Each structure stands twice: as C-alpha cells, then as structure tokens.
Amino acid sequence: MLIRIKNTIIFADIKKTKTFFHPKTTLDICNDRLVMTIQTIGGSDYYGPVQACYSKDKGINWSKPEAIPSLGWQDSKQAGIVEGVCDVVPDYHAKTKKTLAIGHNVYYKGDRFYDTSGYFFKDDKSSLQRFAVYSVLDSNGGWSPRQRIYFEEFKNCLSFVCGCTQKTFLPNGQIIIPFCIQYENRLDVSVCSILCDFDGHVITALQRGNILENPVERGLLEPSICQFKNLHYMTLRAEDDCGYVTVSDDGLNWDKIKPWQWDNGEKLTMSTTQQHWLTLGGKLYLVYTRKTKQNDKVVRWRSPMFIAEVDTDKLCLKSETEQTVFPMRGDPDNPDTVALMGNFMPLALSPNEAIITDGDVLPFIDYSGKVLMARLFAD
C-alpha cells in the first residue's frame, strides 16, 4: 500500500533576493510542540543567521521565525571574514527533556561563502577550521551559548562537522552522531560515527567507529543514520553520481559502502545531494532526489523529491513503492525556472504519521523560493 501524501506551503518569499532555506524540524515532547530551525539564503552556500519557529498544532500554523542568538554571525579572527553557523538540525533528547540544535560553523567574506577547505576555490592558506557547534533549548524557551563538539583525534583537521545529519538516540541517553572529516591537503572527505554523551548541557564525544572513504572529488558528505529493528543504517551523499548505503550492528562499525540501487539491481543515479531516513507504518523509507527523464536538464537533478521503501534484507529500494513527495515546480525544458530542492528533513510524528520539510529555491531568479511541508500517512 502506498503512502498518502498531502503538501502545504509554510512560508513563501520573505523579500526579493532572499528566501528561507534549510527547514528542519523536531518534536519537543516536553512542550508538546514542533521546533523548526531555518535560515535565509541569498547566494550559493551563503546563509543568514540561524532562526527558530514553533508549532503547537503539528505544523499547521507556525510562529514567526526568530534568531537563535548564539547561532548568529560573529567576527572571525581574520579581518573581513565573518563566522556563521549553518546546516543545523534540531533533535529532542528524551532523557534530559532538552532540544539540541546541532550544526557547524561557516565563513563568509563580503556577500559570499568563504572556502576554507578548498572544495571550490581556496582564497588563501587560511587556518580557519570548520567544526561542529550546538545550542541547547531549555524548558523555558531559552537557547544556551554556542558550544563546540571536540574529539581529540580530529582536533587539527580542516573540517570536523556533522551538519544536515540524522542521528541515533539510544535508550540510555547517549547519541550516535555521524561526522565528516577533512584532513589537511586532501580534498576528499571521510565519514565516521561517534558515540557521545549528553548531560543536558554539554555533548561529550566518547568513541569513534571505523572510517569510511570514497576518494572521488569531495568524497562522502552529509551522512544520516537511523536504527531500524536490530540494525543501524547509514546513507551518504557522494560525488560520483551515486548515493551510498551501509549497515552496522552497533552504529559505530560499518560494513563496506554500496551504491543505492533498485531491487532489480539497477543503480540509482544521484548527484551530490542529501538522502534521509523515515520510519513509517513499521517500514523503513529513504527520501531522496535522483536523475529521471523529466529532470535531465535540472541542476544536480534536485527536483522532484522522492520516497521509496527500503528492502532491508537486500539493502536496496523497492522500485514499485517510489512516490513523489514534492513535485517539480517550473519548466524542466527551461531549467533556470525550476525550484531546486534537497536540503530537507523527515520527522515521524507517530508510528503512522510524518512530515517532511524542505526549502526550494530559484537561484537564477533572485534566490526566491518557498518552504514546503509534506504530511505523510501510512493508512
């Protein structure tokens, strides 16, 4: 049986040359509300300060986004360069009844992204590091000062980040967080998951698992993990027209990665875009974008967005279950008019109801766009 999907628009353009992006949501059980983190976008990887908004009716109505002060912009140690925060994901921590907003720092110079890792262009031999940061939302609605996640082994890396990731929250309150690591003088990024403690105030990294690599272009990016039944699953963005999947008994030590494919053995063609997990109706699903006949001309095939059930025995997708979550907006024969998607997050509200939030954007039309929400039901 297919999932029932209903689409709505949360926010439209807020002003010319700027729209909301990166909408990611968690269920704050303590306060019986949804918490969404969100940012504006005004250029390629150029994001405004992190904001938060709230819903008391499962996402039907939302408060006006307001800044999280500790996740705003601040001066860096280099003249003319601003340090911001991006790729934030909110997560509810049941044991402490706190909501975490975890992302990573980022740098801007003028009105553009300042590349310190050499992905696109390295402006100089800057020593500025990218690292994971977070803020904690308490029961009174206040956000804590910005804090950094440390792990001794990776303290000198160019980048040690966990933005846009899904994490596993264990019954004892510990968290398994997947991280991306970029070493000095290497373009490609490696991935590992790290077991962490959280006492309601501070995240402490305890132990890492094995390191996964795919040394093509930028390597492996934006991993997401989930626990389904007795196993842990990880999906990974890559730069070789594939997305990858792997499985683990403990969430730390992972099998060899394999490309996502259909149940008939055909590989899905993807282009350096996120994939995320959703458990709904007792089944495991993947949410993703991919190349189709319709979107062949669209940048990185980032529209429309799909969902399909995972065959956990064969570690592949069941082709007959694929559905469109968010349809394409624009003319695929004129790709500059197509709103691009891909920075999204699914959230299960109950065993049979979930939402997916995404921000679409028209980079060639003044970075206008909309914040979308799909409500999914397993009837």
Side-chain angles (χ1 to χ4, degrees):
M1 181 180 295
L2 296 179
I3 297 170
R4 183 160 53 92
I5 301 174
K6 179 181 179 182
N7 289 334
T8 58
I9 296 173
I10 300 177
F11 301 117
D13 299 336
I14 54 175
K15 67 165 112 173
K16 188 176 181 180
T17 73
K18 189 177 290 186
T19 187
F20 282 127
F21 203 57
H22 275 309
K24 297 178 173 66
T25 305
T26 193
L27 179 59
D28 177 358
I29 298 172
C30 179
N31 292 292
D32 189 28
R33 63 181 179 178
L34 293 175
V35 179
M36 177 191 289
T37 54
I38 197 167
Q39 299 177 258
T40 58
I41 184 171
S44 179
D45 289 317
Y46 182 66
Y47 304 113
V50 181
Q51 302 179 60
C53 56
Y54 309 90
S55 173
K56 297 286 288 187
D57 53 13
K58 293 186 176 182
I60 297 173
N61 297 288
W62 291 88
S63 66
K64 181 181 178 181
E66 296 182 350
I68 300 177
S70 57
L71 301 183
W73 287 7
Q74 60 187 30
D75 289 337
S76 73
K77 296 179 181 179
Q78 294 198 11
I81 300 174
V82 174
E83 181 183 14
V85 175
C86 70
D87 293 357
V88 171
V89 178
D91 288 291
Y92 182 72
H93 188 261
K95 184 176 180 180
T96 62
K97 298 181 181 179
K98 300 284 185 68
T99 294
L100 284 157
I102 306 177
H104 56 247
N105 69 335
V106 63
Y107 299 99
Y108 306 117
K109 187 174 184 179
D111 59 355
R112 65 179 179 87
F113 170 71
Y114 183 75
D115 185 9
T116 59
S117 298
Y119 286 161
F120 311 108
F121 44 83
K122 193 171 178 68
D123 297 82
D124 56 27
K125 302 266 183 205
S126 170
S127 60
L128 293 172
Q129 289 180 298
R130 302 281 300 276
F131 47 81
V133 300
Y134 63 97
S135 180
V136 182
L137 177 64
D138 63 33
S139 58
N140 296 318
W143 291 94
S144 74
R146 183 187 308 187
Q147 300 183 74
R148 177 175 173 178
I149 302 177
Y150 289 92
F151 192 73
E152 182 69 19
E153 180 181 350
F154 303 126
K155 68 179 182 179
N156 294 320
C157 288
L158 285 176
S159 182
F160 175 61
V161 300
C162 59
C164 298
T165 62
Q166 290 173 301
K167 310 155 191 75
T168 296
F169 288 76
L170 302 177
N172 64 1
Q174 291 183 327
I175 315 169
I176 303 175
I177 305 177
F179 279 82
C180 291
I181 307 108
Q182 187 184 12
Y183 298 99
E184 187 74 43
N185 299 319
R186 284 184 63 171
L187 177 66
D188 63 300
V189 174
S190 305
V191 164
C192 75
S193 53
I194 295 181
L195 180 67
C196 299
D197 261 339
F198 177 60
D199 62 4
H201 304 281
V202 177
I203 295 174
T204 304
L206 303 175
Q207 175 189 355
R208 74 161 174 87
N210 62 315
I211 294 179
L212 303 172
E213 296 185 340
N214 183 44
V216 179
E217 299 295 334
R218 286 189 287 166
L220 298 171
L221 303 165
E222 294 173 333
S224 275
I225 61 175
C226 73
Q227 187 172 16
F228 182 71
K229 298 183 177 177
N230 296 321
L231 292 173
H232 299 258
Y233 297 85
M234 181 189 293
T235 186
L236 304 113
R237 167 180 170 177
E239 301 246 300
D240 56 2
D241 288 350
C242 294
Y244 285 91
V245 61
T246 179
V247 66
S248 168
D249 290 327
D250 60 5
L252 294 176
N253 299 289
W254 298 91
D255 291 346
K256 182 179 179 181
I257 61 173
K258 61 174 287 188
W260 274 113
Q261 59 185 30
W262 298 115
D263 42 8
N264 65 1
E266 180 184 355
K267 186 187 74 172
L268 277 74
T269 302
M270 299 173 165
S271 180
T272 184
T273 304
Q274 297 169 25
Q275 312 110 46
H276 296 301
W277 304 103
L278 177 63
T279 301
L280 189 66
K283 300 176 181 179
L284 182 63
Y285 291 88
L286 187 75
V287 187
Y288 56 94
T289 58
R290 67 175 181 90
K291 184 179 181 180
T292 70
K293 292 181 179 179
Q294 179 193 20
N295 66 11
D296 182 66
K297 298 178 182 178
V298 176
V299 175
R300 289 159 58 184
W301 315 312
R302 293 191 67 164
S303 180
M305 181 175 291
F306 299 103
I307 186 171
E309 183 185 345
V310 179
D311 184 326
T312 55
D313 292 328
K314 298 179 180 178
L315 211 56
C316 63
L317 299 181
K318 299 180 180 181
S319 58
E320 74 277 6
T321 69
E322 185 179 63
Q323 294 177 252
T324 299
V325 176
F326 297 117
M328 182 181 295
R329 183 165 72 90
D331 179 4
D333 290 324
N334 184 8
D336 288 358
T337 70
V338 174
L340 306 181
M341 295 180 274
N343 291 67
F344 67 99
M345 191 58 63
L347 174 69
L349 301 179
S350 72
N352 294 305
E353 181 181 0
I355 60 172
I356 300 173
T357 50
D358 191 13
D360 74 7
V361 64
L362 290 155
F364 303 104
I365 307 178
D366 294 330
Y367 273 89
S368 59
K370 303 179 186 300
V371 176
L372 311 173
M373 185 177 77
R375 197 176 299 274
L376 296 81
F377 302 90
D379 295 323

